[in-house]
Amino acid sequence: MDEETYDVVVVGGGPSGATAATDLAQAGRRVLLLDKEGRIKPCGGAVPPRLIRDFAVPDALIVARIRCARMVSPRDRQVDMPVGEGFVGMVDREAFDPWLRDRAAGAGAARRTATFLRLTRPGDGLARVHYRRRDGSEESVRTRLVIGADGAASTVGRQEIPGHARMRQVFAYHEIVRTPPEGAFHPARCDVYYQGALSPDFYAWIFPHGDTISIGTGSARKGFSLRGAVGSLRRATGLDAGETVRREGAPIPLKPLRRFDNGRDVLLTGDAAGLVAPASGEGIYYAMLGGRLAAEAADAFLRTGDARALAGARRRFLRAHGRVFWILRLMQAVWYRNDALRERFVSICRDPDVQSLTWEAYMNKELVRARPAAHARIFFKDLAHLFRWVSP
């Protein structure tokens, strides 16, 4: 029996991998999507309107509509940031990811529930993707290209991209809890906690998902008890009595890799490439955009045979979002260092200019360049708080 041959094998069926598989199948490429069974990534689930629009996400998958974010300081001061026009959508990854994989299959991608093992290159010009089926049997297929979308601890990336194992990460953990009776929790508000006791270098959150709530935190500090912090937050908010539906944890990258491809036949995307926004940890939009850009780079490579086309995915992503990522990374480095600075950071969030520019940038995924005076005011207010010229 001849060995199966594909144009592209996509390893990982989360938002990035499923999007890449969908786009490539729609372009007429022969695609195999490999994904582990039953894995759900810990995720707050926020998606901006641009994602819903650009990736044709149906209304039925939006389990909540957020109209306000509440920032909570180390001293328990609360600052509400109303969204204004529109809303931030919330999805539950338990339903969202399977729908994306089903869409890829509907577009023509083959699907296989399996665990990626390794790549080999026998010398005929095609790579072999080796994987393990659920029954423990090992199989392989031939392919011209592999897209690694298998998370921050990517097996594909660690095998093929030098330095991948040294990727900087935080570890995220959350608990999905049944939503309490009406009135006990606001169904259209996200709560974000900037408190060292809940995260010494990131933040904790309570995000509504309709019938359930995501309560989580993250940290890069070894030895910090994420589960203990989530338990403390649940007790402090009265959510400790609610039924726990599931618990999930996973690493989240902090910075895009220097290379997404191996210059030959492998291209990374999503968390595997580091496409998560610093400071906020937002990843779904960037994962899906990364998957689309990976598909476009892959299609160019398959058309021309020129492996240099693979570098276009990283170049185009950073051209669109590199400056935002740099600003967010700087913001995290400055304001997340200790509770005194976190207190001032939450205080800054009261500012109308900060609120309007934050939401405009988030909703549309573009820096707001048309209001230079507002940017200048924010810059000087930041300096005043950083150097403690004003009280928080």
Side-chain angles (χ1 to χ4, degrees):
M1 180 178 176
D2 291 338
E3 195 172 13
E4 288 182 285
T5 301
Y6 291 90
D7 294 319
V8 183
V9 173
V10 180
V11 180
S16 196
T19 299
T22 299
D23 287 3
L24 283 164
Q26 289 175 340
R29 300 298 180 181
R30 190 158 188 242
V31 182
L32 172 63
L33 177 61
L34 293 180
D35 193 62
K36 293 181 181 179
E37 184 178 28
R39 181 182 179 276
I40 307 171
K41 180 186 172 183
C43 178
V47 295
R50 181 166 179 180
L51 180 149
I52 297 169
R53 180 178 67 249
D54 288 359
F55 296 97
V57 174
D59 188 67
L61 287 173
I62 307 302
V63 295
R65 287 165 171 74
I66 300 304
R67 310 286 181 178
C68 177
R70 172 167 289 178
M71 323 297 274
V72 184
S73 80
R75 298 178 188 173
D76 283 325
R77 296 183 182 180
Q78 299 176 352
V79 174
D80 285 353
M81 298 179 64
V83 172
E85 297 294 327
F87 63 89
V88 176
M90 302 298 292
V91 298
D92 187 339
R93 297 289 294 272
E94 185 177 28
F96 186 65
D97 289 19
W99 181 86
L100 292 173
R101 291 191 285 271
D102 287 345
R103 179 160 70 173
R111 283 180 58 186
R112 210 152 290 168
T113 301
T115 300
F116 170 83
L117 297 175
R118 62 191 176 277
L119 284 177
T120 59
R121 297 179 178 86
D124 61 357
L126 296 179
R128 299 299 195 279
V129 175
H130 300 261
Y131 57 89
R132 181 182 293 114
R133 292 271 205 169
R134 285 180 289 184
D135 63 6
S137 62
E138 293 189 16
E139 299 180 7
S140 66
V141 296
R142 304 162 78 231
T143 187
R144 294 177 64 188
L145 179 68
V146 175
I147 292 180
D150 50 337
S154 169
T155 306
V156 177
R158 290 178 181 226
Q159 178 177 332
E160 293 292 327
I161 307 298
H164 192 282
R166 298 190 298 274
M167 175 189 282
R168 294 183 62 232
Q169 301 171 346
V170 300
F171 199 85
Y173 169 80
H174 78 163
E175 297 178 358
I176 298 294
V177 178
R178 294 285 180 203
T179 300
E182 188 174 353
F185 185 79
H186 200 297
R189 189 187 72 222
C190 286
D191 292 357
V192 185
Y193 291 79
Y194 294 97
Q195 299 179 347
L198 298 177
S199 173
D201 51 356
F202 202 55
Y203 65 85
W205 69 83
I206 300 178
F207 288 177
H209 286 175
D211 293 336
T212 60
I213 301 171
S214 166
I215 308 169
T217 188
S219 177
R221 186 170 297 179
K222 292 183 179 179
F224 180 77
S225 175
L226 299 175
R227 184 171 292 210
V230 169
S232 296
L233 182 55
R234 289 183 65 173
R235 287 190 295 273
T237 55
L239 295 171
D240 54 327
E243 176 192 356
T244 302
V245 178
R246 62 182 193 267
R247 297 179 173 90
E248 296 147 0
I252 297 176
L254 293 175
K255 186 178 180 181
L257 293 173
R258 291 183 180 274
R259 284 192 68 113
F260 292 1
D261 69 282
N262 68 351
R264 182 179 181 180
D265 55 8
V266 170
L267 175 61
L268 303 182
T269 190
D271 283 14
L275 304 187
V276 175
S280 70
E282 182 193 358
I284 300 178
Y285 170 78
Y286 297 112
M288 295 182 74
L289 174 64
R292 176 151 292 170
L293 295 177
E296 292 170 359
D299 193 60
F301 164 71
L302 294 169
R303 262 194 341 267
T304 64
D306 188 348
R308 291 175 295 182
L310 299 176
R314 182 181 189 276
R315 184 169 57 250
R316 291 178 62 197
F317 184 90
L318 292 182
R319 185 184 302 140
H321 300 288
R323 183 174 296 183
V324 171
F325 274 40
W326 180 83
I327 292 170
L328 291 174
R329 194 159 52 247
L330 180 63
M331 187 184 84
Q332 182 174 350
V334 170
W335 296 111
Y336 288 19
R337 286 180 292 170
N338 55 56
D339 273 355
L341 289 168
R342 293 185 194 100
E343 193 73 39
R344 292 177 178 276
F345 172 71
V346 172
S347 181
I348 290 171
C349 293
R350 293 193 189 101
D351 186 271
D353 290 325
V354 170
Q355 294 191 9
S356 62
L357 291 178
T358 296
W359 285 124
E360 287 178 48
Y362 173 81
M363 304 286 260
N364 299 305
K365 287 292 169 273
E366 294 177 354
L367 284 174
V368 183
R369 305 175 189 275
R371 298 171 59 190
H375 284 288
R377 287 194 297 271
I378 291 171
F379 173 75
F380 287 113
K381 289 170 185 175
D382 280 355
L383 287 181
H385 278 276
L386 185 60
F387 290 105
R388 303 188 179 187
W389 297 333
V390 296
S391 60

